[in-house]
């Protein structure tokens, strides 16, 4: 066992218990625009950019891509629904993990399919001094969101400019979503999945997770063992 030098954290469902909020916002918004959508769909699509989820809905119903105005209007409604539910709490145990990694001088990145400013601002309030703009990849930074490997490859490229001799074997992805796991695995990284949602563990394993943990405290025990 060894201690990794760089950690790439997803945000929703890993740092914040925000997925129930996202699921409700997606369901309410999609239904308001006449698209079939379930809470299970929200968890299945977790990690993708909002634009790609909306585009799929238009392709399924109308056989065409959403226009710029259409996806921006629908996503603005989804964002409003999300914000109306209040601020999401931190996932239990994540503060302990981040404090432990910071004490070891580990490089900490966030790699998220979210582009909502409200939740990104919430990072600085909940985790002061942990995440910086230099160590962040969001939906605004990529052309192809998860499950494409681009988000994690871009994070790795950024990390390499900060730690010149960094190898992929020295990095680990922390994910909770099937598509996020697939993205990290396709990018060539070891993936630790923490199953904070309703999906079965084997869904994460089948997407390429090297290990699946039930909560952050189990993961913290492993990190202590690796150090």
């Amino acid at each position: 066992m060894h201690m990794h030098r760089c950690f790439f954290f997803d945000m929703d469902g890993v740092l914040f218990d925000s997925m129930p909020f996202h699921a409700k916002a997606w369901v309410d918004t999609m239904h308001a625009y006449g698209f079939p959508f379930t809470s299970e769909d929200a968890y299945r699509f977790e990690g993708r950019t909002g634009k790609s989820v909306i585009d799929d809905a238009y392709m399924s119903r109308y056989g065409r891509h959403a226009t710029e105005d259409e996806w921006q209007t629908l996503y603005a409604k989804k964002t409003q629904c999300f914000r109306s539910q209040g601020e999401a709490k931190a996932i239990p145990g994540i503060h302990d993990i981040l404090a432990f990694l910071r004490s070891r001088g580990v490089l900490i990145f966030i790699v998220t399919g979210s582009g909502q400013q409200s939740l990104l601002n919430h990072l600085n309030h909940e985790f002061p001094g942990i995440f910086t703009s230099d160590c962040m990849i969001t939906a605004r930074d990529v052309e192809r969101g998860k499950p494409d490997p681009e988000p994690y490859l871009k994070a790795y490229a950024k990390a390499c400019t900060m730690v010149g001799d960094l190898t992929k074997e020295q990095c680990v992805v922390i994910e909770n979503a099937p598509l996020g796991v697939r993205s990290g695995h396709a990018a060539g990284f070891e993936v630790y999945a923490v199953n904070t949602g309703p999906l079965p563990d084997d869904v994460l394993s089948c997407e390429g997770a090297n290990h699946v943990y039930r909560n952050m405290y189990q993961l913290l025990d492993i990190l202590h063992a690796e150090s």
Side-chain angles (χ1 to χ4, degrees):
M1 303 290 281
H2 64 280
M3 186 65 181
H4 294 88
R5 297 174 62 197
C6 182
F7 276 68
F8 300 128
F9 284 88
D10 179 41
M11 184 166 66
D12 295 301
V14 172
L15 301 181
F16 294 111
D17 189 17
S18 47
M19 274 310 298
F21 293 179
H22 279 294
K24 177 175 171 49
W26 274 120
V27 169
D28 289 354
T29 300
M30 288 294 200
H31 289 180
Y33 283 84
F35 294 108
F37 203 88
T38 67
S39 179
E40 182 178 308
D41 290 332
Y43 283 94
R44 186 161 52 89
F45 293 144
E46 181 184 356
R48 293 180 60 181
T49 63
K51 181 178 181 180
S52 68
V53 174
I54 294 165
D55 202 51
D56 274 3
Y58 273 84
M59 285 297 295
S60 295
R61 183 173 180 182
Y62 299 115
R64 63 171 177 82
H65 295 287
T67 67
E68 186 80 10
D69 284 345
E70 285 171 338
W71 84 257
Q72 286 196 8
T73 298
L74 200 150
Y75 192 67
K77 174 66 174 176
K78 185 264 176 179
T79 299
Q80 181 183 27
C81 290
F82 177 81
R83 289 176 177 172
S84 69
Q85 298 175 75
E87 290 189 337
K89 304 295 184 185
I91 289 285
I94 191 62
H95 279 287
D96 297 323
I97 287 177
L98 293 174
F100 172 74
L101 295 178
R102 197 177 187 190
S103 73
R104 297 300 192 274
V106 173
L107 190 59
I108 300 173
F109 265 74
I110 184 168
V111 183
T112 176
S114 177
Q116 294 182 175
Q117 195 63 39
S118 60
L119 196 52
L120 297 177
N121 289 341
H122 191 27
L123 279 168
N124 290 327
H125 173 74
E126 186 69 40
F127 308 106
I130 298 291
F131 299 102
T132 67
S133 58
D134 291 339
C135 297
M136 191 177 296
I137 297 293
T138 75
R140 297 185 178 94
D141 301 309
V142 299
E143 294 182 7
R144 301 173 303 281
K146 303 172 188 178
D148 192 274
E150 182 188 5
Y152 284 109
L153 290 175
K154 282 202 166 183
Y156 177 62
K158 267 192 171 186
C160 286
T161 65
M162 305 169 76
V163 183
D165 58 345
L166 187 68
T167 67
K168 285 190 175 182
E169 290 73 23
Q170 293 171 320
C171 305
V172 65
V173 167
I174 308 296
E175 268 283 355
N176 73 303
L179 299 187
V181 170
R182 191 192 306 175
S183 174
H185 178 73
F189 299 109
E190 188 170 10
V191 181
Y192 290 179
V194 183
N195 194 355
T196 59
L199 302 177
D201 287 355
D202 61 2
V203 173
L204 300 170
S205 299
C206 288
E207 292 290 1
N210 299 88
H211 308 280
V212 181
Y213 303 105
R214 294 304 305 168
N215 55 57
M216 290 296 172
Y217 298 107
Q218 285 187 355
L219 175 57
L220 183 59
D221 288 343
I222 295 301
L223 297 182
H224 278 292
E226 290 181 350
S227 63

